[in-house]
Amino acid sequence: MQDLDKSYDPKKIEEKILKFWGDNNFFKADSDSKKEPFSIVIPPPNVTGVLHMGHALVNTLQDILIRFKRMQNFEALWVPGTDHAGIATQTVVEKHLIAKLKKRRKDFQREEFIKHIWDWKEEKEHIILNQLKKLGCSLDWSRLCFTMDENLSQAVRVVFKKMFDEGLIYRGDYLVNWDPITQTALADDEVEHEEIDSHIWYFKYPLKDKSGYITVATTRPETMLGDTAIAVSPKDERYKFLIGKTVILPIVNREILIIEDRFVDPAFATGAVKITPAHDYNDYDTAQRHDLEIINIMTPDGRINENGKEFFGLSMQKAREAIVERMKSLNLLEKIEPYKLRVGISYRSKARIEPYLSKQWFVKMTPFKNRLMSAIKENRVNLIPDGYKNIYYHWIDNLKDWCISRQLWWGHQIPIWYHAEDPNVMICYDKKGLPPEVQKEPEKWTQDEDVLDTWFSSALWPFSTLGWPNKTKDLKKFYPTSILITGHDILFFWVARMILMGEYVMNEIPFKETFIHGLIYGKSYFKNEDDGSVTYLEKEEKNRYDLGEKLPKNVFSKWEKMSKSKGNVIDPIAIIDEYGTDATRIALTSLATHARQIDLDKRKFDEYKNFANKIWNATRFILQNLEENLEKNLPSLTGEDIENGLDIKNLTLEDKWILNKLSITIKEEIFYLDNKHFDKAATLPYSFFWDDFCAYYLEMTKPYVFGNFKKELRTNKQKILLFVLFSCVRLMHPIAPFITEEIFSKILQKYPKLTLSKKGILDSYSKDFIESLSKKACAVSNYPKPFEIFENVDAEFDIIKEALYIIRNIRAEMKVPPSQKTDLFIYCNKKTSELDLIKENEHLINLLGKIEKTTYVNNEKDLPKNGSVSLLKSLKLFIPIPKEMINQEIKRLEKEKEKLLKQSLLFEDKLKNESFLQNAPKNIIDDMENSFKITTSKLKEIEEKLSSFSE
């Protein structure tokens, strides 16, 4: 067998393993298989750029489950793909073209611009797919999909036509969330909200009859250009005499009515509000109730249009400033007050959202509410964690119709054609190309220029990727899929809409479970400047603090959403290059709790890089030292030994204990993975391998492997080492696939016939174990199964561990160097089970406790005078101070005595001082008396110890 390198080199191993997996098509699923299916469709990354840490997390979690189920003999399919991401991709490409060619979208013909986006898509998709491979994702690459592939585009057209024909899709003039930067409508759940410092402006609107004026309060002065009424509450006695009167809208000089409406809050500001139906949702509803005129004052790019007269062409912000100044000059500005305002922000461009009246396409949501609600309530889709269920219900309860049209060029163009003579005459066509009527008379028909919301095609993803609308084998075998894993930020964007479309199109839920993970936060570091501003630290300075360097007094830190401006973005590929993929995956998985926020501490990557090295070094020790035994002509493990299995009657306490721990670990790990406790699934194997297998069992086997014990004991130890290692490799493979695949291959090269006893014990495990040895790769081997364990072993071994813990503590208190051995005295005045157990396993305690000699005494007088003692059940464990350390201990005690004497004299002088006793508060005196007693007691104890050294 080729030796393992001295140190683990992730880059070298990972490149080799990726090629091995790819060359052998291990991840290709078979739709004709008789195995039970387990399927996942990847949340498709946007082709806007490269993967971020959120992608690394979600795809690691999916890969863990798909590898786990593949090893459990499921027919496991993980469908790869990418999303065209309409607004996001068009925006980033347009910025790219402006920088490169100095040309905007509208400087191109539509087809020319789309060609640029396709070129971008090909380039970025190639990068993304390679990053997914680098992350170790075991996707079935033969089934790669893109949301604008022809088959998926056909699915979009078929669903659109079905909904259109059934009256579930409609078109109309409605107030929508308008993004003036991307110049498109957004659905409600594509709008983020934030609170800003703003103002309320109080404007006086003169009454037409010149009898006075009414003061209205507004947070948006610029929209007054589109006012068509003033509203007051019917319960507000102050304004009853004004209802029905007319005012003259300042600047515009338009006559508008004062109306009463129940939505007005009389307690807000003056209790009178201006009504601007084209630019406010409440005002729009009011206009519908009162049949008011609707006047749009904004252009698609967020400027004042011709209805704004003298303010034409100004941005909304500039218009606000100009209008406030104009109202002030007209003596119609009563006052301005500070006000916290909640505003909508585009989730893509971060532009301020403007309510805007435009013609859009919508999906009616009311017909779907009951099934969307029942899918979760009836547990047809198991939403994990439970806490998201109430959030989901609240969203469904407040559903509005879904605006599905976008004023973009990139995406699925709406499959509607309008007749030139009558736009109300439409053709909805779901085939590729042009409808027959359009082909016959192309000059009479025009296709709708808008495209569909990205989430419309994404909502079809679980079945369109499996071949729908065609009746494919994949669809029959793998739909509904098994689980969806995604972040809570797209619970409504995507998860709910997939449930909607799955139930509507397939009459079946799209996935049986949904695991919602938290969003990743990075630690940002900043300084508070003298002027009140905040300065975020640069990456180089930040990295020092990430790795544990103490913060200066003027530097602060907090966990925040990752942002380039805050310097807390962590690039997953850079992390992989620095720490290795396995360490990156384990670290991310260990943080995947059921919480809404994941604080990504970079020190985690370092911790799990050390763990990967620990796995490698332990494997190297086990395999290479067994080979060295052969070279030294010591009895070692032969092919015949392996075939004969374990010698049960020669199993020692530590053998039975490590087998028990292994079986329990396997059982718990399966539970954690089945129940999506990813954080525990990451830390459990770590704890077993490092704390149990390496720290205890591996150390306990060394005397057997290298010493002159009888062959049966040595062979058992060697086989158990290999057996546990081989089991751990398969146990950890879903989370750490690269290092485990490499070690799996090395074990098979040297021990192709490794097995267990055929004499009854562990038989249930033998078949699974033997089958794994026949596999070509760890990725397609059998996942370990728990097996029969030995009774009473764990409690007995816990006593050995407790004894070692006591011994190590005493040695640490004495500051005994790790390399120096000490003696151990054990006192017990009667025969007990603990004493018998310690005597039987004295060699283990001596080995791991660094004990030169163990002496048993039944009279306390026989214990040495100088040392330290601790209780273990009925036993007293005593470690004498080593002779060579006595002088050192005497010096330490003399120094401590001198220090305590000074303290004692100070306390004594104070307590004899009459002035102090008369004037000091009683609690101060009491504290000092108590301190004096403690100091005196410590002095006595030290003097006794010093006295014992002189005897």
Side-chain angles (χ1 to χ4, degrees), residues 164-209:
F164 179 84
D165 291 345
E166 294 176 6
L168 294 168
I169 284 180
Y170 65 95
R171 187 176 187 241
D173 290 309
Y174 289 90
L175 209 60
V176 295
N177 304 303
W178 189 260
D179 180 337
I181 290 182
T182 59
Q183 295 184 40
T184 186
L186 299 179
D188 288 343
D189 43 19
E190 292 176 306
V191 178
E192 298 171 345
H193 292 88
E194 62 181 42
E195 198 172 74
I196 63 169
D197 291 321
S198 185
H199 298 88
I200 297 179
W201 288 265
Y202 291 78
F203 288 162
K204 296 186 284 190
Y205 283 17
L207 293 164
K208 183 183 178 183
D209 63 10

Side-chain angles (χ1 to χ4, degrees), residues 516-783:
I516 306 294
H517 64 74
L519 299 185
I520 293 182
Y521 280 53
K523 186 177 276 190
S524 55
Y525 298 87
F526 58 93
K527 295 177 181 178
N528 292 325
E529 304 295 352
D530 293 338
D531 62 0
S533 64
V534 170
T535 302
Y536 284 92
L537 303 190
E538 296 293 330
K539 181 179 178 182
E540 292 72 20
E541 193 174 0
K542 173 186 177 300
N543 283 346
R544 302 205 316 265
Y545 303 130
D546 275 341
L547 297 174
E549 185 175 317
K550 189 176 179 181
L551 292 178
K553 288 183 178 179
N554 65 331
V555 175
F556 304 90
S557 69
K558 62 179 174 179
W559 294 101
E560 297 183 285
K561 280 187 178 180
M562 288 192 174
S563 163
K564 288 181 181 177
S565 65
K566 294 171 181 173
N568 65 345
V569 172
I570 300 175
D571 175 12
I573 302 306
I575 292 294
I576 286 172
D577 289 340
E578 184 176 356
Y579 297 97
T581 303
D582 290 323
T584 303
R585 287 170 60 115
I586 305 170
L588 287 172
T589 309
S590 72
L591 295 167
T593 64
H594 288 189
R596 289 175 61 85
Q597 178 177 321
I598 295 172
D599 296 337
L600 188 57
D601 189 335
K602 277 188 75 174
R603 288 174 294 184
K604 282 284 182 185
F605 299 114
D606 206 43
E607 178 184 351
Y608 290 109
K609 179 181 180 180
N610 292 337
F611 179 49
N613 288 329
K614 185 73 172 180
I615 297 169
W616 186 261
N617 292 335
T619 301
R620 190 167 177 269
F621 172 82
I622 292 167
L623 299 185
Q624 291 191 349
N625 281 318
L626 294 182
E627 286 183 340
E628 287 173 12
N629 275 349
L630 292 175
E631 292 169 10
K632 294 175 184 175
N633 296 317
L634 290 172
S636 188
L637 200 59
T638 65
E640 184 180 341
D641 290 325
I642 295 169
E643 286 184 359
N644 289 336
L646 288 174
D647 182 355
I648 302 303
K649 66 179 180 295
N650 278 305
L651 290 178
T652 60
L653 174 64
E654 64 269 24
D655 296 336
K656 294 175 182 177
W657 171 77
I658 197 64
L659 291 171
N660 277 12
K661 292 292 287 186
L662 174 62
S663 182
I664 291 166
T665 300
I666 292 167
K667 183 178 180 180
E668 289 180 354
E669 184 74 354
I670 291 170
F671 174 83
Y672 291 148
L673 290 175
D674 278 339
N675 290 278
K676 318 303 174 296
H677 295 294
F678 292 103
D679 55 327
K680 294 175 182 175
T683 54
L684 180 67
Y686 173 99
S687 176
F688 171 77
F689 194 88
W690 196 306
D691 299 337
D692 296 328
F693 184 52
C694 291
Y696 281 99
Y697 188 74
L698 192 61
E699 293 299 318
M700 290 174 175
T701 62
K702 288 179 179 178
Y704 294 91
V705 173
F706 300 118
N708 291 317
F709 284 81
K710 62 179 181 178
K711 183 184 176 184
E712 291 82 359
L713 289 174
R714 178 181 293 109
T715 301
N716 258 8
K717 288 285 188 291
Q718 292 171 332
K719 289 176 67 174
I720 291 170
L721 283 171
L722 287 168
F723 167 61
V724 175
L725 176 64
F726 194 62
S727 300
C728 283
V729 161
R730 292 179 297 128
L731 182 79
M732 294 187 287
H733 177 78
I735 300 176
F738 289 101
I739 192 170
T740 52
E741 190 68 79
E742 176 69 4
I743 294 172
F744 184 94
S745 69
K746 295 297 184 186
I747 294 173
L748 288 196
Q749 285 177 37
K750 180 165 178 58
Y751 299 105
K753 294 182 179 179
L754 183 62
T755 185
L756 282 178
S757 171
K758 299 174 185 176
K759 300 176 182 177
I761 294 183
L762 311 179
D763 271 354
S764 61
Y765 198 62
S766 297
K767 183 181 177 185
D768 161 71
F769 196 87
I770 295 164
E771 283 179 2
S772 287
L773 290 159
S774 67
K775 305 288 185 178
K776 191 174 181 180
C778 193
V780 290
S781 67
N782 292 350
Y783 198 77

